[in-house]
Structures are given as structure tokens and as C-alpha cells.
């Protein structure tokens, strides 16, 4: 048998489960169809971690209950970006305001209370007469789902989990009572248990748990607006349809605004709605505007182990990062119960040290440069990313192999120049580190080369 456990999907859920299951003496593989792990996770977005007051469904609330306590411990060990950040909820409808207060009281949520006009001004929260219903939340926060996924993926890899990238599963067959065959477009593997974290029509999961034809556009705007000085408070505004607009900090010091809407919005409409929350700003302060889907499908664990040899996780939900510690407990227990497991004595739940130059003090920067002078060479001035950080991103476990991989791990290209001044330098660093020609470096996937041919002007690259 090739493996004990095969996990399908190297996204946030797949990486988290691989890192957790690695604590046992199990032979584990993760199969991911993309060129890199966590490609389904946005690289620059901060995700809001609720205190539970905005979650109407009791089962969903139970899954993310105590999320902040669990995430604080997890992020300290795995070294990914998470922090507590208070928030004010603004309601345009009186009934929504009172419904939220009722949930706060019935669930005993601490640190959440209504604000009047004077209290809002004391907290530097802009008061608007058209939205007089406000609740202040002390127990909210933000997290970087991409940083969380890569951190847990690195930990899994360091603890012996095998990642098989660029392989797409085409079939899963029950071969016998204790054997399952997984066929990909490149090979086939046998194992005892399969855990499916990536949706695919191939799998016969509990489709009744998916919402039919549900498409909620989520507009995300990245602003060159310092959250600590220009914005100061996370603001979450709920409109009459129940769709939420949210302004929060990014982990690079900028500001992220997300807007849900029934239909896609154009740039001017998005900018106008964001300005209604934080005040006017010029267009040249906008670095990025993206439109993705907001997922709110019910989270479900389909247990088909006895019949088909697999667990099918339905996790298309925006609250997944907050629910992940609880999911890891449940799924790890279900999988481990199929084996006579022992703890892996060499298991270490710790990520290798990484450095973000922009977050260091001058003394820490000087100490780092003394060890490696490449940390003193600025490559991306917009996002303050150095050559040392890019080299580190390439050399790490499951390190970057493409321009997109470097971009996601370091934050380059998300500044105002959009990579105009740094992309050639990144290309050169990748070529040197991977021992490849510059024209062989890929942007994000196979056959996505930036340079299609070499001319003499490239001799300087």
C-alpha cells in the first residue's frame, strides 16, 4: 500500500488536516491539481474573524465558538498572521440591530454592546444619521487565510507529508475492505483512507448541503491608506438585504475593503460605497480591485468511510479559518480511529523562522543584514520586500517556484507600480535560485512563461 491517508486538495483545509494528522505514525500524501498549494486562497486579503454575533445559524456558530482562543494558540506555534482587532457593526435596519443584540445576549458573547453617538465619537467612529444603530465588538479579529495555509503546509511537509502537485484525481475506487485506489492523470495510489477537501463532481458527497445556483459577488479593494492612522477602527455595515460591507487592516499596513452585493459592481460604485465608510480618497490610492464569490454554504463532513473509504468535506464557507481548529479535531479523530495510531516522536508543530523586513525595528533590520546582506537590498519599494525575503520564500519547504508563488508569499506586485519596477529583479532571483534560464521561469502554471524568447537586451537579466 502506497499511503495510509491521501488528502485531496492542498488548500487551507487540506494543509491544516495534513499538519494535524502528521502527529501520528501515518504515511500521508496530499494531491493538489495546481502548481502550488493554497492557490484557491486570496494572497492579500485579511479575513474577518467574528465573535459569533453575526452568525444566525446555531450549528455554524458552534463550529466557530472559541475560535479566537484556538487561533491565538495555533498562530503562535505556526507563525501565521492573526490578531485581535475590535470592530463596530453599523445597521441600516432597526430589526437587524435588535436581532443581533438578542443573539449576543442568548449566547453570552462578551465585549459586545450598543453604542450611542457620544460613545462612537469617543472611539473615533464616524457617526452618520442614516445609520444610527451601532454595536461595538471587542472580541473580533483578522486573519490571513493564505499565510495560515502556507504555514500549515510547510509544517506538514517538514513532518514527512508528501505533497504531489500538478496531479488531478480522475477516479476513486474501493478495492477491498481496507484498500482504496486513487487514480490521477499521472499515476495511481493505494491507501486506507481518502479525505476529500476539494469539490469535484466526481465525488458523491452530500450535495443536499450545497446551496443551488447561489452566486454572491464579493468585491475587494486594497487601499494605500494606513489603517492605524487613517482609518483606526474596523467597520462592518449591514444593508437592508443583509449584505455586509467591511473595512479592515491588511497585514502589510494597508486597508482592505470588502463589499457583498446581489450583482457585480463597477469601480465607481465600489469606491463610492467604501468612501461612505471611511471618507473620500483619490483613485491613485487604490492598488487593487478584485471580484470573487462570497461562499456561505453549510459546512458538512460526509462520512463515507465504511462504504467508499473516504470522508468528503463540504467547506465552501467564508468562516472556514475560524472553524478550522474545530474541523481539525473532528476529522483527525475520524481518520485516526481507522488505524492503531501512535504519536510520532519526531513531530514538531513549528514553522521555520521567516522575516518581514517592513515589520522589523531598525535594530532588528541591522542584525538581520549583518547575517545576510541580501536583507539590505530592497527589491519591491512599494511593499518593502527585500532580496533576502524572496530568497527565503523560494528556499522554504514547498517554496515558491513561480512569479506568482513569490508574489503570494512576500506581497510584491501589490503596490502602486503593480510590479513595473521589481518584476525583472524577481525573475532574475528565481532563475538563479532554481538554476534555470530566465525564459524558463513561469508566471503561475505550466506554459505561462513571461519571456517567450531571448534577445541580447536580456543579457542584463
Amino acid at each position: 500500500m502506497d499511503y495510509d491517508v491521501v488528502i485531496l486538495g492542498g488548500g487551507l483545509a487540506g494543509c491544516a488536516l495534513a499538519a494535524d494528522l502528521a502527529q501520528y505514525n501515518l504515511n500521508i500524501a496530499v494531491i493538489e491539481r495546481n502548481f502550488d498549494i493554497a492557490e484557491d486562497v486570496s494572497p492579500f486579503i485579511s479575513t474577518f474573524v467574528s465573535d459569533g454575533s453575526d452568525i444566525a445559524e446555531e450549528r455554524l456558530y458552534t463550529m466557530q465558538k472559541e475560535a479566537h482562543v484556538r487561533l491565538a494558540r495555533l498562530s503562535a506555534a505556526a507563525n501565521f498572521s492573526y490578531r485581535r482587532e475590535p470592530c463596530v457593526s453599523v445597521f441600516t435596519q432597526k430589526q437587524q440591530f435588535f436581532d443581533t443584540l438578542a443573539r449576543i445576549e442568548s449566547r453570552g458573547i462578551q465585549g459586545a454592546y450598543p453604542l450611542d453617538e457620544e460613545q462612537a465619537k469617543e472611539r473615533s467612529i464616524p457617526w452618520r444619521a442614516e445609520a444610527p444603530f451601532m454595536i461595538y465588538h471587542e472580541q473580533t479579529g483578522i486573519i490571513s487565510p493564505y499565510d495560515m495555509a502556507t504555514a500549515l503546509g510547510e509544517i506538514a511537509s517538514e513532518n514527512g507529508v508528501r505533497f504531489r502537485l500538478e496531479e488531478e484525481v480522475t477516479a476513486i475506487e474501493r478495492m477491498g475492505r481496507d484498500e482504496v485506489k486513487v487514480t490521477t492523470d499521472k499515476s495511481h495510489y493505494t491507501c486506507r483512507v481518502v479525505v476529500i477537501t476539494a469539490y469535484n463532481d466526481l465525488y458523491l458527497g452530500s450535495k443536499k448541503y450545497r446551496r443551488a445556483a447561489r452566486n454572491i459577488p464579493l468585491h475587494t479593494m486594497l487601499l494605500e491608506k494606513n489603517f492605524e492612522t487613517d482609518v483606526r477602527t474596523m467597520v462592518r455595515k449591514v444593508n437592508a438585504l443583509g449584505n455586509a460591507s467591511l473595512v479592515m487592516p491588511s497585514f502589510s499596513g494597508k486597508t482592505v475593503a470588502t463589499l457583498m452585493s446581489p450583482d457585480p459592481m463597477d469601480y465607481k460604485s465600489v469606491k463610492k460605497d467604501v468612501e461612505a465608510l471611511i471618507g473620500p480618497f483619490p483613485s491613485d490610492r487604490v492598488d487593487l480591485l478584485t471580484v470573487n464569490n462570497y461562499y456561505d454554504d453549510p459546512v458538512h463532513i460526509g462520512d463515507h468511510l465504511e462504504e467508499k473509504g473516504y470522508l468528503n468535506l463540504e467547506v465552501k464557507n467564508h468562516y472556514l479559518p475560524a472553524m478550522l481548529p474545530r474541523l481539525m479535531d473532528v476529522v483527525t479523530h475520524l481518520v485516526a480511529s481507522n488505524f492503531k495510531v501512535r504519536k510520532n516522536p519526531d513531530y514538531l508543530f513549528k514553522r521555520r523562522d521567516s522575516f518581514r523586513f517592513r515589520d522589523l525595528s531598525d535594530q532588528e533590520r541591522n542584525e538581520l543584514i549583518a547575517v545576510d546582506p541580501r536583507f539590505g537590498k530592497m527589491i519591491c519599494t512599494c511593499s518593502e520586500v527585500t532580496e533576502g525575503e524572496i530568497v527565503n520564500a523560494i528556499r522554504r519547504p514547498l517554496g515558491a517556484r513561480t512569479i506568482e508563488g513569490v508574489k503570494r508569499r512576500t506581497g510584491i506586485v501589490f503596490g502602486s507600480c503593480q510590479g513595473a519596477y521589481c518584476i525583472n529583479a524577481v525573475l532574475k532571483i528565481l532563475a538563479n535560485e532554481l538554476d534555470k534560464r530566465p525564459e524558463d521561469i513561469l508566471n503561475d502554471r505550466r506554459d505561462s512563461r513571461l519571456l517567450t524568447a531571448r534577445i541580447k537586451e536580456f543579457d542584463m537579466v
Side-chain angles (χ1 to χ4, degrees), residues 196-232:
I196 303 169
T197 68
Y199 172 67
N200 190 316
D201 286 326
L202 169 71
Y203 314 132
L204 305 177
S206 302
K207 294 185 179 180
K208 67 180 181 179
Y209 286 95
R210 300 193 189 99
R211 302 192 197 279
R214 191 172 174 87
N215 183 18
I216 306 174
L218 181 68
H219 305 78
T220 304
M221 182 175 278
L222 182 65
L223 303 170
E224 287 188 11
K225 205 170 179 67
N226 189 292
F227 185 85
E228 301 298 331
T229 58
D230 298 337
V231 182
R232 297 183 182 176

Side-chain angles (χ1 to χ4, degrees), residues 427-428 430-432 434-442 449 451-454 461:
L427 184 69
K428 179 180 179 181
L430 269 167
N432 288 339
L434 300 179
D435 195 23
K436 292 183 176 181
R437 301 179 304 166
E439 56 265 41
D440 291 333
I441 297 301
L442 304 177
R449 290 175 174 80
L451 308 180
T452 57
R454 189 172 185 88
V461 176

Side-chain angles (χ1 to χ4, degrees), residues 114-174:
L115 292 180
D116 58 27
E117 183 173 357
E118 289 301 317
Q119 292 170 322
K121 289 179 178 178
E122 288 175 5
R123 290 169 172 78
S124 301
I125 298 167
W127 178 269
R128 292 175 175 82
E130 72 273 14
F133 307 109
M134 292 187 177
I135 298 176
Y136 192 75
H137 308 266
E138 296 176 351
Q139 305 297 323
T140 52
I142 56 170
I143 193 169
S144 169
Y146 179 77
D147 195 30
M148 184 182 190
T150 50
L152 295 173
E154 288 179 11
I155 290 172
S157 178
E158 292 273 70
N159 283 283
V161 174
R162 178 73 183 272
F163 282 77
R164 311 195 70 92
L165 304 176
E166 292 187 275
E167 290 195 41
E168 186 161 6
V169 174
T170 57
I172 302 174
E173 304 170 72
R174 175 66 115 170

Side-chain angles (χ1 to χ4, degrees), residues 174-192:
R174 175 66 115 170
M175 305 300 290
R177 177 174 175 81
D178 294 321
E179 184 175 351
V180 181
K181 180 181 178 182
V182 178
T183 303
T184 73
D185 55 357
K186 292 184 178 180
S187 186
H188 58 81
Y189 312 97
T190 56
C191 63
R192 286 268 300 277

Side-chain angles (χ1 to χ4, degrees), residues 364-384:
E364 290 171 327
R365 290 175 177 179
N366 290 331
E367 291 173 354
L368 194 57
I369 292 169
V371 175
D372 187 343
R374 288 174 296 192
F375 282 97
K377 184 178 180 181
M378 192 66 67
I379 299 297
C380 177
T381 56
C382 297
S383 300
E384 297 183 68

